[in-house]
Amino acid sequence: MTFDSSFGPRAIISGAALRHNLAVVRRRAPRSKVMAVIKANAYGHGVVPAARALIGADAFGVARLSEALALREQGFGQAVVLLEGVFTRDELDVAVAQNLELVVHTQEQLALLHAWRGSRQAHVWLKVDTGMNRLGFRVEAFADAWRSLRECTSVANSVRVMTHLASADEQDGAFTQSQLEKFAAVTKDLKIERSIANSAGLLAWPQAQVEWVRPGLMLYGISPFADDGSRHDLRPAMTLATRLIAIRDVKQGEGVGYAGTWRAARDGRIGIAAVGYGDGYPRQVLSGSPVRVGESEAKLAGRVSMDMIAIDVSNMPHASVGDSVTLWGDGLPVERIARCAGTIPYELVCGISQRVAVEHRP
Ligand SMILES: *Cc1c(COP(=O)(O)O)cnc(C)c1O
């Protein structure tokens, strides 16, 4: 027997929004091939349905081997890039057998490839670190790593080169400029395909639009900057919604929720909605943050509980049990909620929990 979960939280994922956002990427980077980044379960949107909606991309990018294998199991035959590469012989065997492309960013991965004999060659992206100090060969070590890969018989000679921008979303562009210059310097004599830009790089740095771009966040309709996706013609692909499960009166001066941190300034009404940090609506969202009840905006009252939140509906005489509540998405950009919670929208959409029912709309 299944229970009607229509009173619990739902993440509604719009395939149409994903397709629209991919079209925006194409329009903004018309000369580049697109590696659609769908790691972390497509930023919480569901990797398989997201891949289906984004099928027009030239490649998919994922962080982990398990994510790539899930795509192959579901029959996706297109190029899939493992953005962190592989770490053991067994992983290398599987990755090459499944025709996955590997990022190579360490000496250990180079050694693994040199020691490896497979029935076919590995397709590789060499990563150079131009200043992020996370993954990639340092600029000084790049030429040797490049030569080593080209000499490696188990690597196909279509080697591509990539880097990652650390601050492309920031107003002051000096750091990004220096990353672009370093990348240009190390790749200038190579006739190869290159990749630099994530969403922020793609939108803010036309010079970063080389043969490949690697958008993630913007495909989900979210802005990488301090504004909202609609400013860039993006549409939110995820709406997190629930319902009011109770309405109650409060008297002036009474507190609401744990520790009573919100106090009623006058007699009023509180709506209780079925969503909490156990669903991935973080406790860091502060009292006073916006919540949509039906078509109107209201404010969170007090602390987020594990399964519930309280909303001040004193100004909504018609609010009643069963009303739809939007936490983020349609009509309430997740970027705004991230700002209220002192985090980034990436973390919010990635963080919805197993308990949230996911509804995929075409
Ligand atoms: C996650 C990731 C991206 C996508 O970044 P967005 O900011 O989501 O566009 C691109 N490249 C690499 C290497 C990544 O890890």
Side-chain angles (χ1 to χ4, degrees):
M1 166 159 194
T2 56
F3 292 93
D4 179 11
S5 65
S6 67
F7 271 66
R10 306 172 319 282
I12 300 139
I13 310 297
S14 164
L18 290 167
R19 288 190 299 276
H20 167 86
N21 298 330
L22 177 58
V24 173
V25 167
R26 292 281 187 204
R27 204 161 68 231
R28 295 293 297 260
R31 287 173 300 281
S32 303
K33 287 187 265 192
V34 176
M35 184 193 305
V37 178
I38 54 173
K39 62 198 181 190
N41 198 28
Y43 294 40
H45 294 67
V47 69
V48 168
R52 230 169 251 145
L54 299 171
I55 200 86
D58 301 291
F60 292 126
V62 296
R64 308 272 154 78
L65 181 57
S66 58
E67 298 174 317
L69 295 180
L71 289 171
R72 288 288 184 255
E73 267 162 35
Q74 294 293 323
F76 292 97
Q78 47 272 91
V80 176
V81 182
L82 286 172
L83 293 170
E84 297 170 6
V86 291
F87 304 96
T88 66
R89 268 194 56 156
D90 287 349
E91 287 185 355
L92 181 54
D93 284 339
V94 173
V96 175
Q98 294 292 328
N99 205 18
L100 306 174
E101 299 178 15
L102 314 172
V103 170
V104 171
H105 56 84
T106 63
Q107 211 60 53
E108 289 83 351
Q109 290 174 326
L110 267 183
L112 193 61
L113 283 165
H114 275 283
W116 185 74
R117 293 286 170 275
S119 54
R120 46 175 149 161
Q121 290 182 307
H123 289 267
V124 165
W125 295 71
L126 180 60
K127 187 160 192 178
V128 56
D129 192 320
T130 50
M132 176 128 179
N133 280 314
R134 195 174 63 176
L135 295 186
F137 290 89
R138 291 185 64 87
V139 165
E140 315 85 88
F142 175 80
D144 282 347
W146 169 259
R147 211 169 305 116
S148 166
L149 264 186
R150 295 306 305 268
E151 286 165 1
C152 183
T153 52
S154 48
V155 170
N157 62 15
S158 61
V159 176
R160 295 156 173 165
V161 178
M162 67 183 283
T163 194
H164 194 53
L165 300 175
S167 309
D169 56 327
E170 279 169 20
Q171 294 285 335
D172 175 8
F175 193 78
T176 301
Q177 192 61 49
S178 86
Q179 287 199 273
L180 293 174
E181 283 163 14
K182 285 178 184 162
F183 189 76
V186 296
T187 55
K188 74 177 183 324
D189 296 327
L190 306 177
K191 296 225 165 359
I192 43 151
E193 292 190 356
R194 302 159 297 166
S195 180
I196 303 172
N198 58 358
S199 298
L202 191 164
L203 290 170
W205 291 87
Q207 316 90 298
Q209 293 178 7
V210 290
E211 288 76 16
W212 287 85
V213 289
R214 306 189 309 274
L217 194 69
M218 68 182 289
L219 291 172
Y220 308 101
I222 304 169
S223 172
F225 308 115
D227 55 11
D228 298 336
S230 58
R231 282 283 314 267
H232 309 277
D233 187 32
L234 301 169
R235 294 190 198 147
M238 176 194 290
T239 295
L240 182 64
T242 188
R243 289 186 192 278
L244 290 181
I245 58 168
I247 303 257
R248 54 178 311 102
D249 294 331
V250 281
K251 299 288 177 209
Q252 182 177 11
E254 289 180 344
V256 168
Y258 286 115
T261 58
W262 184 90
R263 298 226 159 244
R266 57 191 67 81
D267 291 0
R269 291 205 312 157
I270 295 291
I272 306 297
V275 69
Y277 60 79
D279 303 296
Y281 184 76
R283 202 167 161 283
Q284 286 70 24
V285 182
L286 296 180
S287 189
S289 298
V291 183
R292 267 173 91 82
V293 178
E295 297 302 309
S296 316
E297 203 165 293
K299 287 182 170 151
L300 191 68
R303 289 188 183 161
V304 174
S305 302
M306 188 184 293
D307 315 302
M308 284 172 271
I309 57 172
I311 303 165
D312 181 3
V313 294
S314 302
N315 297 327
M316 299 180 168
H318 301 293
S320 51
V321 168
D323 281 3
S324 171
V325 172
T326 302
L327 292 318
W328 64 65
D330 265 340
L332 184 53
V334 68
E335 294 91 324
R336 254 181 94 189
I337 306 305
R339 292 192 288 274
C340 291
T343 184
I344 51 175
Y346 296 80
E347 193 179 31
L348 296 184
V349 290
C350 281
I352 60 163
S353 78
Q354 292 286 339
R355 191 167 70 168
V356 175
V358 182
E359 270 176 48
H360 292 280
R361 304 254 170 95

